[in-house]
């Protein structure tokens, strides 16, 4: 349909096609490379859905069961594919139901475009049926939000939306399209936008800062790199590895940056944060140069800022100037795209070794294995452990699968004990910590990486927040592997209640249904396991099954996630579970 009109022998322009606004919208999405949309129809989006009927062979629409699920699915799709996820919903409650997912995408820098139908422009401001102020509601939690009132604006708005969502520090964009704009006629031509005067997605590189950062690293005796999701978003995994290896720098990751380095990389010393590994948390307060790469010094990483890395010079690589000095005072700020700034610094680095410094992590690793990991992964008796299940599933996939988690203890056990061979292999809700994220995100991840095995770990609380998406799995035949770690508690809140609130289990005990039967009602094969001796066989059955599979494992009712740094305390205040 990309017809062209020949004007003369030298000039060829795209033919202007007279389309409806809805047709212009779909053509614009296809022009941007969109192949999958997650959505739910409604009154003010019917013209768009009617148009979709004629594009079934060019654009796949996945019918979710709740609009929140559509946004989380778009997030999962974006996180594994590196493309922009797209959601299509109706006005009023439709767009309102996406708010959680939009906020989650903003916190985690996930590029999604949410398209909402809206009442006709003539009814705006009249409290018409299913009208809400989309701009007012979503503006604080998006990179850009715009109301389209005329069909002629649609191609431009879509091009601008995708440019803003995907460039610089990625994030969500909302387009609110009035019904008259959907049905009105427009002379459509594809639009490309690669510049907006008021928007500077990538700051210019400062050569002086590059040189200063290299000088600090070259003179450092105890450098430590903190790797965030910015490395993954910038497709700079190769550049990061060259940087680390040239200067022999140990590196730890945030929860969102965890697959930027392979799990078996010798310089990878583990995960930062409240439930991270002992070594990187402890050594944060012993290093002499702290190198933050595409991370934002979240409070779950830093703990008490008054005691965080006060001995260290801090180098901060980031694309977003707003993050510089926001939480941690920076010695050298290296602004720019890490795919460019990392090599610029690497070229100035000396080939170095820090064997003695790297060996200081080994006692921490041994302590953590002896005190925590050994009992969690290799228990000799007692109830099944959460970490044990994660470890066995990861091993059974040869560490090749994509990990998706919900939020809570299942999340912390997942990111701690799943292993990664590839980048973009971990999908979880970081900044917002959204329970209910996991199931729809796993669905989206499968469409974003159809050749990958998708393993979702979820708790009994989070599963029931979006359990209706079993219907999406049934209708769209989505092959994901769902592992429910069922402890009949809201486990993470229960852990805090036991540690800090005198074991007063206020509203955290869960009375649950027969989950396997519910899954079966949606045509999803499943199995319930309680005994350790049945676990490996059940995992093999799950992974060998063609199609979605639901594995419910009854785990230790009062299992705890350790190590743990209590919120707001020093990063060296690490609890291992034996403190009394």
């Amino acid at each position: 349909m990309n017809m062209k009109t020949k004007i003369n022998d030298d000039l060829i322009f795209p033919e202007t096609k007279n389309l409806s606004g809805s047709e212009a919208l779909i053509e614009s999405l296809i022009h941007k490379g969109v192949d999958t949309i997650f959505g739910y129809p409604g009154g003010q989006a019917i013209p768009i859905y009617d148009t979709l009927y004629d594009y079934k062979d060019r654009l796949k629409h996945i019918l979710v069961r709740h609009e929140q699920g559509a946004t989380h699915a778009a997030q999962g799709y974006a996180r594994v594919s590196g493309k922009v996820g797209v959601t299509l919903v109706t006005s009023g409650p439709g767009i309102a139901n996406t708010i959680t997912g939009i906020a989650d995408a903003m916190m985690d820098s996930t590029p999604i475009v949410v398209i909402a139908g809206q009442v006709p422009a003539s009814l705006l401001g009249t409290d018409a049926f299913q009208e809400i102020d989309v701009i007012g509601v979503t503006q604080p939690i998006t990179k850009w939000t715009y109301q389209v009132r005329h069909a002629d604006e649609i191609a431009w708005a879509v091009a601008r939306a995708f440019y803003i969502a995907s460039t610089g520090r990625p994030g969500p964009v909302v387009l609110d399209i009035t019904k008259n704009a959907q049905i009105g006629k427009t002379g459509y031509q594809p639009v490309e936008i690669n510049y907006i005067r008021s928007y500077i997605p990538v700051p210019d590189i400062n050569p002086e800062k590059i040189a200063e950062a290299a000088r600090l690293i070259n003179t450092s005796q105890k450098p430590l790199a903190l790797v965030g999701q910015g490395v993954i978003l910038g497709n700079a995994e190769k550049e990061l590895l060259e940087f680390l290896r040239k200067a022999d720098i140990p590196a730890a990751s945030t929860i969102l940056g965890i697959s930027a380095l392979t799990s078996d990389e010798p310089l990878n010393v583990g995960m930062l944060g409240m439930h991270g590994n002992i070594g990187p948390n402890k050594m944060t307060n012993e290093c002499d140069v702290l190198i933050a790469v595409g991370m934002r010094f979240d409070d779950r990483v830093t703990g008490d800022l008054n005691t965080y890395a006060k001995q260290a010079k801090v180098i901060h690589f980031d694309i977003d100037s707003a993050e510089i000095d926001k939480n941690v005072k920076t010695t050298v700020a290296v602004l720019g795209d890490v795919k460019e700034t990392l090599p610029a610094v690497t070229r100035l680095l000396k080939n170095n070794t820090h064997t003695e410094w790297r060996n200081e992590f080994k006692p921490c690793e041994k302590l953590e294995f002896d005190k925590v990991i050994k009992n969690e992964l290799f228990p000799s008796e007692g109830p099944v452990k959460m970490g044990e299940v994660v470890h066995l599933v990861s091993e059974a996939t040869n560490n090749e699968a994509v990990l998706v988690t919900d939020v809570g203890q299942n999340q912390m056990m997942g990111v701690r004990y799943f292993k990664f061979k590839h980048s973009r292999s971990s999908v979880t809700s970081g900044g917002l910590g959204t329970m209910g994220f996991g199931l729809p995100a796993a669905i989206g991840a499968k469409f974003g990486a159809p050749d990958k095995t998708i393993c979702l770990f979820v708790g009994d609380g989070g599963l029931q927040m979006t359990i209706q998406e079993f219907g999406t799995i049934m209708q769209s035949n989505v092959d994901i592997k769902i592992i429910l770690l069922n402890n009949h508690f809201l486990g993470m809140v229960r852990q805090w209640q036991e540690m800090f609130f005198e074991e007063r289990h206020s509203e955290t005990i869960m009375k649950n249904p027969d989950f396997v039967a519910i899954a079966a009602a949606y045509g999803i094969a499943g199995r319930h396991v309680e005994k350790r001796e049945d676990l490996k066989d059940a995992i093999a059955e799950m992974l060998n099954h063609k199609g979605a599979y639901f594995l419910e494992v009854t785990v230790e009712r009062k299992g705890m996630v350790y190590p743990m740094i209590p919120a707001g305390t020093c990063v060296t205040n690490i609890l291992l579970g034996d403190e009394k």
Side-chain angles (χ1 to χ4, degrees), residues 124-330:
L124 290 169
T126 68
D127 291 331
F129 179 65
Q130 293 191 331
E131 178 195 2
I132 67 167
D133 179 3
V134 173
I135 306 302
V137 169
T138 63
Q139 197 166 39
I141 53 171
T142 57
K143 284 189 73 178
W144 184 56
T145 184
Y146 184 76
Q147 187 172 77
V148 178
R149 298 188 182 187
H150 304 282
D152 290 342
E153 296 179 284
I154 286 177
W156 167 86
V158 170
R160 187 180 175 101
F162 274 74
Y163 177 64
I164 292 173
S166 62
T167 56
R169 181 178 182 173
V173 168
V174 170
L175 293 180
D176 186 42
I177 306 179
T178 60
K179 199 167 190 177
N180 61 287
Q182 298 170 38
I183 62 178
K185 293 295 184 177
T186 181
Y188 170 76
Q189 288 184 352
V191 174
E192 288 291 343
I193 290 180
N194 53 30
Y195 171 76
I196 298 172
R197 184 176 61 179
S198 60
Y199 172 58
I200 304 173
V202 182
D204 291 334
I205 295 175
N206 184 331
E208 293 180 3
K209 299 297 184 181
I210 296 291
E212 192 176 350
R215 182 185 61 78
L216 280 179
I217 295 168
N218 283 333
T219 57
S220 170
Q221 300 301 309
K222 296 183 175 184
L224 175 62
L226 311 183
V227 178
Q229 188 187 203
V231 171
I232 298 171
L233 295 173
N235 300 307
E237 295 90 345
K238 176 177 175 287
E239 289 78 5
L240 172 70
L241 201 55
E242 290 172 352
F243 168 80
L244 296 174
R245 287 178 173 174
K246 187 172 184 181
D248 197 35
I249 302 170
S253 66
T254 66
I255 189 174
L256 293 181
I258 200 165
S259 67
L261 292 169
T262 61
S263 299
D264 60 359
E265 165 57 43
L267 290 173
N268 186 348
V269 293
M271 187 176 75
L272 298 158
M274 178 176 284
H275 293 289
N277 297 110
I278 295 174
N281 280 321
K282 182 173 182 290
M283 296 307 172
T284 295
N285 276 15
E286 296 186 19
C287 65
D288 58 5
V289 174
L290 192 66
I291 309 159
V293 188
M295 55 88 71
R296 60 186 179 86
F297 289 111
D298 176 75
D299 63 288
R300 289 296 172 100
V301 166
T302 65
D304 181 9
L305 287 169
N306 293 318
T307 60
Y308 183 78
K310 293 302 180 182
Q311 80 295 336
K313 303 289 186 183
V314 177
I315 301 170
H316 194 169
F317 290 80
D318 214 289
I319 201 168
D320 186 357
S321 61
E323 291 300 334
I324 304 301
D325 295 334
K326 186 176 80 174
N327 294 324
V328 173
K329 183 66 177 174
T330 302

Side-chain angles (χ1 to χ4, degrees), residues 296-521:
R296 60 186 179 86
F297 289 111
D298 176 75
D299 63 288
R300 289 296 172 100
V301 166
T302 65
D304 181 9
L305 287 169
N306 293 318
T307 60
Y308 183 78
K310 293 302 180 182
Q311 80 295 336
K313 303 289 186 183
V314 177
I315 301 170
H316 194 169
F317 290 80
D318 214 289
I319 201 168
D320 186 357
S321 61
E323 291 300 334
I324 304 301
D325 295 334
K326 186 176 80 174
N327 294 324
V328 173
K329 183 66 177 174
T330 302
T331 309
V332 181
V334 183
L335 284 170
D337 186 337
V338 289
K339 196 171 183 66
E340 298 176 358
T341 56
L342 279 173
V345 173
T346 302
R347 286 191 287 270
L348 302 179
L349 293 181
K350 300 174 182 176
N351 289 302
N352 212 336
T353 57
H354 294 289
T355 306
E356 186 176 338
W357 165 236
R358 288 175 54 201
N359 284 339
E360 290 187 36
F361 288 81
K362 292 181 179 179
C364 297
E365 293 169 0
K366 184 178 186 309
L367 175 64
E368 187 169 343
F369 182 84
D370 291 342
K371 292 286 188 179
V372 178
I373 297 174
K374 181 169 64 176
N375 184 51
E376 186 66 39
L377 300 193
F378 312 108
S380 57
E381 57 184 8
V384 176
K385 302 272 193 176
M386 290 179 282
E388 174 184 10
V389 180
V390 173
H391 172 69
L392 289 173
V393 172
S394 186
E395 277 200 334
T397 67
N398 195 30
N399 304 326
E400 294 277 359
V402 172
L403 167 73
V404 183
T405 81
D406 205 79
V407 167
Q409 290 185 317
N410 65 88
Q411 176 186 38
M412 293 299 109
M413 290 296 186
V415 294
R416 278 184 57 81
Y417 298 120
F418 214 79
K419 302 301 179 187
F420 307 100
K421 287 184 178 179
H422 309 283
S423 186
R424 295 191 180 273
S425 292
S426 178
V427 180
T428 194
S429 172
L432 201 63
T434 304
M435 288 181 67
F437 172 89
L439 182 58
I443 292 170
K446 186 61 181 179
F447 285 101
D451 297 330
K452 293 280 191 178
T453 299
I454 309 295
C455 292
L456 164 66
F457 288 90
V458 63
D460 44 320
L463 175 63
Q464 292 180 88
M465 288 192 170
T466 51
I467 197 170
Q468 69 274 0
E469 299 308 331
F470 279 173
T472 305
I473 294 172
M474 176 177 65
Q475 182 155 345
S476 296
N477 192 28
V478 188
D479 182 3
I480 60 174
K481 312 307 179 186
I482 306 162
I483 303 98
L484 168 61
L485 304 177
N486 192 349
N487 55 17
H488 297 276
F489 269 106
L490 296 177
M492 187 58 82
V493 181
R494 190 266 312 153
Q495 176 166 337
W496 281 50
Q497 287 173 337
E498 293 198 6
M499 296 179 68
F500 310 117
F501 292 89
E502 300 178 343
E503 300 188 34
R504 291 156 59 89
H505 297 151
S506 178
E507 303 303 326
T508 48
I509 299 172
M510 299 286 286
K511 184 175 182 181
N512 290 320
D514 184 338
F515 288 111
V516 174
I518 292 173

